[in-house]
Amino acid sequence: MTYRAGRKWRPAAIGRIAAAALLLILAGAVVPTPAAGAGAGIKDLAACSTAPATPKRQLRAMWIASVANIDWPSKAGLGVSAQQAEFRSWLDLAAQKNMNAVVVQIRPTADAFWPSPYEPWSQWLTGTQGTNPGYDPLAFMVSEAHARNIEFHAWFNPYRIANHDDATRLVAGHPARQNPGWRFAYGGKLYYNPGIPAVRDFIEDAIMDAVTRYDLDGVHLDDYFYPYPVSGQTIPDASAYAQYGAGFGNVHDWRRNNVNLLVKELDQLIHTARSWVSFGVSPFGIWRNAATDPLGSRTSGMQSYDAVYADTRLWAKQGWIDYIAPQIYWHIGYSVADYAVLTAWWSSVVKDTDVQLLIGQAAYRAGAAGEDPAWQQPGELTDHLYGNRQHPEIVGDIFFSAKDVRANRIDGISRLVTDHYSRPALIPVRGTAAAPTSPSITSAARVSNGISLSWQRDGSSSPTSYAVYRVDGFPAMDPCFFADARNLLKTTRGTSFTDTTATATGTYTYYLTALDRAQRESGPSTGRVVTGTGPFSVVVDNGDAGFTAGSNWGTSSFSSQLHGTDYRFADPVTASDLAWFRAEIPATGSYRVEVWYPANSGYNSATPFIVATGGGNQVVNVDQRVNGGQWRGLGTFTLSAGTRNVVGVSRWTSTSGYVIADAVRITKL
């Protein structure tokens, strides 16, 4: 194999509503919003009061480690269905905790969790390196994550080849066996030599293969660059230094430059190929100590700048990464590396840059046997996030690792979720381009398990996902509804959502916004109100099983005022040919009957609606040229108990224009 093939990703480096709100006039109507066209996002919210416990934007993620089967798969050699079921359970856990991203290790030891043309299948899948697992795990994982609107960040370990130092144990076609000069053994493990340019090119090619073939949201490197120091051993790269180290005064500066080049070049390659993909690094939590370097932190631990040659401060200052997630795996008050000291220091590093700051959190230490007493306190992790609120530069957290989030020892994760993740959150914005066009809610109706919302995807602005907001009652529209997440119900990549938390008697106003791949948010839709039902209310849409119509009734989704996904239409004739809405009436009594239809000047001005009352059919003619896209009352009628056709739409009218059947709502008084 020619590892330089396919370097087409290497072009030149690239650089990186407030208005008067209208009061609701009647239940079931819309709540107008300020005009918000293409690119008009939610803004002007500085004057709004927000709650720190419900931030609107915050990245919340957990690492899912595959090396040594730490998290997934739980053991090598599981069947396809078992592997997939396990991964779905991790995503379900993340969704349950109101997390919005996962960071999944797909290249743990110079191998692959996808059919890579560069590297063998990972041994952590099947137990044998190079053995096909029978499906494409990366395609599966990305699809499942996106189905839950959870971002998928692909985690790559750049240099580690194996957790042993015997190259003959690698599969025969492994690039590290075919190119023995690319590798070295150190500390009982095998590594690619970061100082060899061909190695760097190869690693970049292997990573970019995944970036260009899969719908990734992020590329993530961990803290393993040059190997962590092993007492009494020296990294065996003297010959590479002699060959490639010209211009450097010592091997240490040369090594740092080798890692710098990898990070800088990956940044360029990723954003040239996929501008929306976020590139981040999660380094060891200490760059340098202040005693060594006045720019360093007030700590006294190992320094990643010197130990593993990771100049992470430089990467942030130069903007070579989109985010940095230092692993601050120490408790508040720890004398060697105080969590509070380090969050303040890293905040100062990213301040006035475009680099976002996440914090790597040690979920694995909370309540674990043998840990420092501070980690036996249920409030340690939640206190970390309380401390984060002092630093606006911190926009989220990543927890190591998934199995520790699930274990929830000493109730530490539950405490954290209650205190900080009680509501969903949007991913922090990346970039400054225009936001998508405001969407429209096409249907909002009560169903058996809550309130069902539907909308249509706007192809002109190509949104990736949507955010659903709910406000109690029907107050005048206020931009501050969207200032934090207190009203945020759900984010989804679909075009429908059922609010199962809505009560039967509650009245609610729903809003919808659209988000693109960079998480830029549109202005809100027009509000849609769903009124309280009292003891009984039912909506029957033309798409429901309770609707019947003859073959002369056509189907259309032409009008944006439709209820649900479509509506039915027919020409007027001198015959009834009724379209019927069937419902179960729980008890004989008085009921309010309302109809929904899209209006159009070409529709019928006297469409006959038939209400089958206890005393016989009553006809109400409706002008369907006007007042569409909302519930319109036909009146109050006495209906008899039972399941039957209750409301019909007749074609028998002498006026011209289509008659429309879309939806009815029946409410007991």
Side-chain angles (χ1 to χ4, degrees), residues 441-444 454 456 528 541-542 556-567 596-599 628-629 662:
I441 301 174
T442 56
S443 171
S454 298
Q456 293 180 324
R528 291 294 292 268
D541 183 81
N542 72 279
S556 176
S557 58
F558 169 76
S559 175
S560 63
Q561 295 181 344
L562 81 179
H563 186 284
T565 58
D566 55 36
Y567 54 94
W596 183 295
Y597 56 87
D662 196 352

PDB file of all heavy atoms in Angstrom, residues 441-444 454 456 528 541-542 556-567 596-599 628-629 662:
ATOM      1  N   ILE A 441     -44.120  25.484  12.800  1.00  0.00           N
ATOM      2  CA  ILE A 441     -44.813  24.322  13.342  1.00  0.00           C
ATOM      3  C   ILE A 441     -46.083  24.140  12.529  1.00  0.00           C
ATOM      4  O   ILE A 441     -46.915  25.040  12.441  1.00  0.00           O
ATOM      5  CB  ILE A 441     -45.146  24.511  14.829  1.00  0.00           C
ATOM      6  CG1 ILE A 441     -43.871  24.736  15.648  1.00  0.00           C
ATOM      7  CG2 ILE A 441     -45.926  23.306  15.353  1.00  0.00           C
ATOM      8  CD1 ILE A 441     -44.124  25.072  17.110  1.00  0.00           C
ATOM      9  N   THR A 442     -46.251  22.988  11.915  1.00  0.00           N
ATOM     10  CA  THR A 442     -47.418  22.752  11.067  1.00  0.00           C
ATOM     11  C   THR A 442     -48.563  22.104  11.813  1.00  0.00           C
ATOM     12  O   THR A 442     -49.707  22.157  11.366  1.00  0.00           O
ATOM     13  CB  THR A 442     -47.031  21.864   9.871  1.00  0.00           C
ATOM     14  OG1 THR A 442     -46.444  20.650  10.354  1.00  0.00           O
ATOM     15  CG2 THR A 442     -46.031  22.579   8.968  1.00  0.00           C
ATOM     16  N   SER A 443     -48.273  21.484  12.951  1.00  0.00           N
ATOM     17  CA  SER A 443     -49.328  20.811  13.702  1.00  0.00           C
ATOM     18  C   SER A 443     -48.957  20.782  15.166  1.00  0.00           C
ATOM     19  O   SER A 443     -47.802  20.516  15.525  1.00  0.00           O
ATOM     20  CB  SER A 443     -49.523  19.378  13.188  1.00  0.00           C
ATOM     21  OG  SER A 443     -50.398  18.654  14.028  1.00  0.00           O
ATOM     22  N   ALA A 444     -49.928  21.064  16.020  1.00  0.00           N
ATOM     23  CA  ALA A 444     -49.762  20.951  17.470  1.00  0.00           C
ATOM     24  C   ALA A 444     -51.093  20.478  18.031  1.00  0.00           C
ATOM     25  O   ALA A 444     -52.073  21.224  18.013  1.00  0.00           O
ATOM     26  CB  ALA A 444     -49.356  22.281  18.081  1.00  0.00           C
ATOM     27  N   SER A 454     -45.564  18.730  14.865  1.00  0.00           N
ATOM     28  CA  SER A 454     -44.965  18.360  13.583  1.00  0.00           C
ATOM     29  C   SER A 454     -44.524  19.626  12.862  1.00  0.00           C
ATOM     30  O   SER A 454     -45.070  20.709  13.101  1.00  0.00           O
ATOM     31  CB  SER A 454     -45.968  17.594  12.705  1.00  0.00           C
ATOM     32  OG  SER A 454     -46.370  16.391  13.315  1.00  0.00           O
ATOM     33  N   GLN A 456     -42.127  20.878   8.985  1.00  0.00           N
ATOM     34  CA  GLN A 456     -41.508  20.447   7.741  1.00  0.00           C
ATOM     35  C   GLN A 456     -40.093  20.993   7.650  1.00  0.00           C
ATOM     36  O   GLN A 456     -39.823  22.109   8.090  1.00  0.00           O
ATOM     37  CB  GLN A 456     -42.326  20.920   6.536  1.00  0.00           C
ATOM     38  CG  GLN A 456     -43.683  20.249   6.428  1.00  0.00           C
ATOM     39  CD  GLN A 456     -44.470  20.738   5.235  1.00  0.00           C
ATOM     40  OE1 GLN A 456     -44.400  21.907   4.876  1.00  0.00           O
ATOM     41  NE2 GLN A 456     -45.228  19.849   4.612  1.00  0.00           N
ATOM     42  N   ARG A 528     -47.318  28.179  18.756  1.00  0.00           N
ATOM     43  CA  ARG A 528     -48.548  27.409  18.582  1.00  0.00           C
ATOM     44  C   ARG A 528     -49.082  27.039  19.954  1.00  0.00           C
ATOM     45  O   ARG A 528     -48.363  26.472  20.791  1.00  0.00           O
ATOM     46  CB  ARG A 528     -48.275  26.147  17.758  1.00  0.00           C
ATOM     47  CG  ARG A 528     -47.937  26.420  16.314  1.00  0.00           C
ATOM     48  CD  ARG A 528     -49.106  27.014  15.540  1.00  0.00           C
ATOM     49  NE  ARG A 528     -50.165  26.051  15.392  1.00  0.00           N
ATOM     50  CZ  ARG A 528     -50.280  25.228  14.354  1.00  0.00           C
ATOM     51  NH1 ARG A 528     -49.394  25.266  13.375  1.00  0.00           N
ATOM     52  NH2 ARG A 528     -51.284  24.389  14.276  1.00  0.00           N
ATOM     53  N   ASP A 541     -57.059  13.818  12.993  1.00  0.00           N
ATOM     54  CA  ASP A 541     -56.450  14.366  11.787  1.00  0.00           C
ATOM     55  C   ASP A 541     -56.836  13.488  10.596  1.00  0.00           C
ATOM     56  O   ASP A 541     -57.162  12.292  10.760  1.00  0.00           O
ATOM     57  CB  ASP A 541     -54.933  14.405  11.948  1.00  0.00           C
ATOM     58  CG  ASP A 541     -54.231  15.022  10.761  1.00  0.00           C
ATOM     59  OD1 ASP A 541     -54.184  16.261  10.687  1.00  0.00           O
ATOM     60  OD2 ASP A 541     -53.734  14.254   9.905  1.00  0.00           O
ATOM     61  N   ASN A 542     -56.771  14.056   9.401  1.00  0.00           N
ATOM     62  CA  ASN A 542     -57.100  13.254   8.227  1.00  0.00           C
ATOM     63  C   ASN A 542     -56.133  12.087   8.020  1.00  0.00           C
ATOM     64  O   ASN A 542     -56.442  11.142   7.284  1.00  0.00           O
ATOM     65  CB  ASN A 542     -57.128  14.124   6.967  1.00  0.00           C
ATOM     66  CG  ASN A 542     -55.746  14.553   6.523  1.00  0.00           C
ATOM     67  OD1 ASN A 542     -55.199  15.508   7.067  1.00  0.00           O
ATOM     68  ND2 ASN A 542     -55.171  13.877   5.541  1.00  0.00           N
ATOM     69  N   SER A 556     -53.108  16.478  -0.392  1.00  0.00           N
ATOM     70  CA  SER A 556     -52.169  17.553  -0.717  1.00  0.00           C
ATOM     71  C   SER A 556     -51.431  18.008   0.534  1.00  0.00           C
ATOM     72  O   SER A 556     -51.942  17.873   1.651  1.00  0.00           O
ATOM     73  CB  SER A 556     -52.916  18.752  -1.320  1.00  0.00           C
ATOM     74  OG  SER A 556     -52.022  19.834  -1.560  1.00  0.00           O
ATOM     75  N   SER A 557     -50.229  18.519   0.338  1.00  0.00           N
ATOM     76  CA  SER A 557     -49.474  19.201   1.397  1.00  0.00           C
ATOM     77  C   SER A 557     -49.014  20.565   0.897  1.00  0.00           C
ATOM     78  O   SER A 557     -48.009  21.105   1.360  1.00  0.00           O
ATOM     79  CB  SER A 557     -48.274  18.347   1.836  1.00  0.00           C
ATOM     80  OG  SER A 557     -47.430  18.077   0.734  1.00  0.00           O
ATOM     81  N   PHE A 558     -49.770  21.124  -0.055  1.00  0.00           N
ATOM     82  CA  PHE A 558     -49.386  22.386  -0.705  1.00  0.00           C
ATOM     83  C   PHE A 558     -49.311  23.541   0.290  1.00  0.00           C
ATOM     84  O   PHE A 558     -48.368  24.321   0.292  1.00  0.00           O
ATOM     85  CB  PHE A 558     -50.387  22.699  -1.819  1.00  0.00           C
ATOM     86  CG  PHE A 558     -50.263  24.086  -2.386  1.00  0.00           C
ATOM     87  CD1 PHE A 558     -49.236  24.403  -3.266  1.00  0.00           C
ATOM     88  CD2 PHE A 558     -51.152  25.088  -2.022  1.00  0.00           C
ATOM     89  CE1 PHE A 558     -49.110  25.684  -3.781  1.00  0.00           C
ATOM     90  CE2 PHE A 558     -51.031  26.370  -2.529  1.00  0.00           C
ATOM     91  CZ  PHE A 558     -50.001  26.667  -3.410  1.00  0.00           C
ATOM     92  N   SER A 559     -50.307  23.664   1.143  1.00  0.00           N
ATOM     93  CA  SER A 559     -50.389  24.826   2.033  1.00  0.00           C
ATOM     94  C   SER A 559     -49.571  24.621   3.296  1.00  0.00           C
ATOM     95  O   SER A 559     -49.590  23.541   3.898  1.00  0.00           O
ATOM     96  CB  SER A 559     -51.848  25.095   2.413  1.00  0.00           C
ATOM     97  OG  SER A 559     -51.928  26.146   3.360  1.00  0.00           O
ATOM     98  N   SER A 560     -48.886  25.671   3.740  1.00  0.00           N
ATOM     99  CA  SER A 560     -48.138  25.608   5.004  1.00  0.00           C
ATOM    100  C   SER A 560     -49.056  25.696   6.210  1.00  0.00           C
ATOM    101  O   SER A 560     -48.610  25.512   7.338  1.00  0.00           O
ATOM    102  CB  SER A 560     -47.115  26.753   5.056  1.00  0.00           C
ATOM    103  OG  SER A 560     -47.783  28.007   5.031  1.00  0.00           O
ATOM    104  N   GLN A 561     -50.351  25.977   5.979  1.00  0.00           N
ATOM    105  CA  GLN A 561     -51.304  26.074   7.088  1.00  0.00           C
ATOM    106  C   GLN A 561     -51.907  24.724   7.452  1.00  0.00           C
ATOM    107  O   GLN A 561     -52.814  24.658   8.279  1.00  0.00           O
ATOM    108  CB  GLN A 561     -52.430  27.050   6.718  1.00  0.00           C
ATOM    109  CG  GLN A 561     -51.981  28.489   6.527  1.00  0.00           C
ATOM    110  CD  GLN A 561     -53.143  29.409   6.181  1.00  0.00           C
ATOM    111  OE1 GLN A 561     -54.222  28.976   5.797  1.00  0.00           O
ATOM    112  NE2 GLN A 561     -52.912  30.698   6.337  1.00  0.00           N
ATOM    113  N   LEU A 562     -51.425  23.664   6.889  1.00  0.00           N
ATOM    114  CA  LEU A 562     -52.010  22.347   7.100  1.00  0.00           C
ATOM    115  C   LEU A 562     -51.841  21.882   8.536  1.00  0.00           C
ATOM    116  O   LEU A 562     -50.959  22.331   9.274  1.00  0.00           O
ATOM    117  CB  LEU A 562     -51.398  21.335   6.140  1.00  0.00           C
ATOM    118  CG  LEU A 562     -50.045  20.689   6.451  1.00  0.00           C
ATOM    119  CD1 LEU A 562     -49.673  19.696   5.358  1.00  0.00           C
ATOM    120  CD2 LEU A 562     -48.912  21.684   6.630  1.00  0.00           C
ATOM    121  N   HIS A 563     -52.670  20.948   8.948  1.00  0.00           N
ATOM    122  CA  HIS A 563     -52.547  20.262  10.233  1.00  0.00           C
ATOM    123  C   HIS A 563     -51.938  18.895   9.951  1.00  0.00           C
ATOM    124  O   HIS A 563     -52.401  18.159   9.077  1.00  0.00           O
ATOM    125  CB  HIS A 563     -53.918  20.120  10.891  1.00  0.00           C
ATOM    126  CG  HIS A 563     -53.871  19.544  12.275  1.00  0.00           C
ATOM    127  ND1 HIS A 563     -53.673  18.206  12.536  1.00  0.00           N
ATOM    128  CD2 HIS A 563     -53.987  20.145  13.477  1.00  0.00           C
ATOM    129  CE1 HIS A 563     -53.673  18.009  13.842  1.00  0.00           C
ATOM    130  NE2 HIS A 563     -53.867  19.171  14.434  1.00  0.00           N
ATOM    131  N   GLY A 564     -50.898  18.538  10.679  1.00  0.00           N
ATOM    132  CA  GLY A 564     -50.222  17.273  10.406  1.00  0.00           C
ATOM    133  C   GLY A 564     -49.364  17.373   9.166  1.00  0.00           C
ATOM    134  O   GLY A 564     -48.745  18.398   8.890  1.00  0.00           O
ATOM    135  N   THR A 565     -49.351  16.307   8.381  1.00  0.00           N
ATOM    136  CA  THR A 565     -48.447  16.263   7.229  1.00  0.00           C
ATOM    137  C   THR A 565     -49.147  16.521   5.904  1.00  0.00           C
ATOM    138  O   THR A 565     -48.487  16.762   4.896  1.00  0.00           O
ATOM    139  CB  THR A 565     -47.750  14.896   7.161  1.00  0.00           C
ATOM    140  OG1 THR A 565     -48.746  13.866   7.071  1.00  0.00           O
ATOM    141  CG2 THR A 565     -46.891  14.665   8.389  1.00  0.00           C
ATOM    142  N   ASP A 566     -50.497  16.447   5.867  1.00  0.00           N
ATOM    143  CA  ASP A 566     -51.215  16.707   4.628  1.00  0.00           C
ATOM    144  C   ASP A 566     -52.679  16.976   4.939  1.00  0.00           C
ATOM    145  O   ASP A 566     -53.093  16.995   6.102  1.00  0.00           O
ATOM    146  CB  ASP A 566     -51.061  15.540   3.634  1.00  0.00           C
ATOM    147  CG  ASP A 566     -51.471  14.199   4.229  1.00  0.00           C
ATOM    148  OD1 ASP A 566     -52.433  14.159   5.025  1.00  0.00           O
ATOM    149  OD2 ASP A 566     -50.841  13.174   3.901  1.00  0.00           O
ATOM    150  N   TYR A 567     -53.477  17.188   3.897  1.00  0.00           N
ATOM    151  CA  TYR A 567     -54.916  17.372   4.055  1.00  0.00           C
ATOM    152  C   TYR A 567     -55.603  16.815   2.817  1.00  0.00           C
ATOM    153  O   TYR A 567     -54.957  16.486   1.817  1.00  0.00           O
ATOM    154  CB  TYR A 567     -55.271  18.840   4.279  1.00  0.00           C
ATOM    155  CG  TYR A 567     -54.725  19.794   3.226  1.00  0.00           C
ATOM    156  CD1 TYR A 567     -55.487  20.177   2.122  1.00  0.00           C
ATOM    157  CD2 TYR A 567     -53.439  20.318   3.343  1.00  0.00           C
ATOM    158  CE1 TYR A 567     -54.987  21.053   1.161  1.00  0.00           C
ATOM    159  CE2 TYR A 567     -52.928  21.196   2.385  1.00  0.00           C
ATOM    160  CZ  TYR A 567     -53.703  21.553   1.299  1.00  0.00           C
ATOM    161  OH  TYR A 567     -53.211  22.412   0.355  1.00  0.00           O
ATOM    162  N   TRP A 596     -60.085  22.432  11.622  1.00  0.00           N
ATOM    163  CA  TRP A 596     -58.823  23.032  11.149  1.00  0.00           C
ATOM    164  C   TRP A 596     -58.731  22.780   9.652  1.00  0.00           C
ATOM    165  O   TRP A 596     -58.994  21.667   9.182  1.00  0.00           O
ATOM    166  CB  TRP A 596     -57.640  22.381  11.867  1.00  0.00           C
ATOM    167  CG  TRP A 596     -56.292  22.961  11.526  1.00  0.00           C
ATOM    168  CD1 TRP A 596     -55.657  22.924  10.323  1.00  0.00           C
ATOM    169  CD2 TRP A 596     -55.419  23.657  12.404  1.00  0.00           C
ATOM    170  NE1 TRP A 596     -54.438  23.553  10.396  1.00  0.00           N
ATOM    171  CE2 TRP A 596     -54.266  24.012  11.669  1.00  0.00           C
ATOM    172  CE3 TRP A 596     -55.487  24.018  13.742  1.00  0.00           C
ATOM    173  CZ2 TRP A 596     -53.204  24.701  12.215  1.00  0.00           C
ATOM    174  CZ3 TRP A 596     -54.425  24.701  14.302  1.00  0.00           C
ATOM    175  CH2 TRP A 596     -53.292  25.047  13.552  1.00  0.00           C
ATOM    176  N   TYR A 597     -58.374  23.811   8.920  1.00  0.00           N
ATOM    177  CA  TYR A 597     -58.193  23.666   7.482  1.00  0.00           C
ATOM    178  C   TYR A 597     -57.214  24.744   7.006  1.00  0.00           C
ATOM    179  O   TYR A 597     -57.104  25.807   7.616  1.00  0.00           O
ATOM    180  CB  TYR A 597     -59.530  23.838   6.746  1.00  0.00           C
ATOM    181  CG  TYR A 597     -60.214  25.150   7.053  1.00  0.00           C
ATOM    182  CD1 TYR A 597     -59.926  26.307   6.333  1.00  0.00           C
ATOM    183  CD2 TYR A 597     -61.131  25.247   8.101  1.00  0.00           C
ATOM    184  CE1 TYR A 597     -60.529  27.520   6.629  1.00  0.00           C
ATOM    185  CE2 TYR A 597     -61.744  26.449   8.415  1.00  0.00           C
ATOM    186  CZ  TYR A 597     -61.434  27.586   7.678  1.00  0.00           C
ATOM    187  OH  TYR A 597     -62.017  28.782   7.977  1.00  0.00           O
ATOM    188  N   PRO A 598     -56.483  24.496   5.938  1.00  0.00           N
ATOM    189  CA  PRO A 598     -55.700  25.566   5.320  1.00  0.00           C
ATOM    190  C   PRO A 598     -56.624  26.439   4.474  1.00  0.00           C
ATOM    191  O   PRO A 598     -57.554  25.935   3.834  1.00  0.00           O
ATOM    192  CB  PRO A 598     -54.689  24.815   4.452  1.00  0.00           C
ATOM    193  CG  PRO A 598     -55.375  23.533   4.128  1.00  0.00           C
ATOM    194  CD  PRO A 598     -56.244  23.197   5.301  1.00  0.00           C
ATOM    195  N   ALA A 599     -56.414  27.731   4.494  1.00  0.00           N
ATOM    196  CA  ALA A 599     -57.247  28.649   3.724  1.00  0.00           C
ATOM    197  C   ALA A 599     -56.563  29.038   2.421  1.00  0.00           C
ATOM    198  O   ALA A 599     -55.334  29.117   2.349  1.00  0.00           O
ATOM    199  CB  ALA A 599     -57.559  29.896   4.545  1.00  0.00           C
ATOM    200  N   GLY A 628     -57.645  30.291   7.907  1.00  0.00           N
ATOM    201  CA  GLY A 628     -57.048  28.961   7.927  1.00  0.00           C
ATOM    202  C   GLY A 628     -55.863  28.879   8.868  1.00  0.00           C
ATOM    203  O   GLY A 628     -55.393  29.872   9.424  1.00  0.00           O
ATOM    204  N   GLY A 629     -55.374  27.660   9.056  1.00  0.00           N
ATOM    205  CA  GLY A 629     -54.187  27.441   9.875  1.00  0.00           C
ATOM    206  C   GLY A 629     -54.425  27.610  11.352  1.00  0.00           C
ATOM    207  O   GLY A 629     -53.489  27.902  12.106  1.00  0.00           O
ATOM    208  N   ASP A 662     -59.327  18.443   6.904  1.00  0.00           N
ATOM    209  CA  ASP A 662     -57.975  18.361   7.473  1.00  0.00           C
ATOM    210  C   ASP A 662     -57.986  17.774   8.883  1.00  0.00           C
ATOM    211  O   ASP A 662     -57.366  16.743   9.136  1.00  0.00           O
ATOM    212  CB  ASP A 662     -57.333  19.748   7.478  1.00  0.00           C
ATOM    213  CG  ASP A 662     -55.824  19.705   7.671  1.00  0.00           C
ATOM    214  OD1 ASP A 662     -55.292  18.614   7.944  1.00  0.00           O
ATOM    215  OD2 ASP A 662     -55.180  20.755   7.543  1.00  0.00           O
TER     216      ASP A 662
END
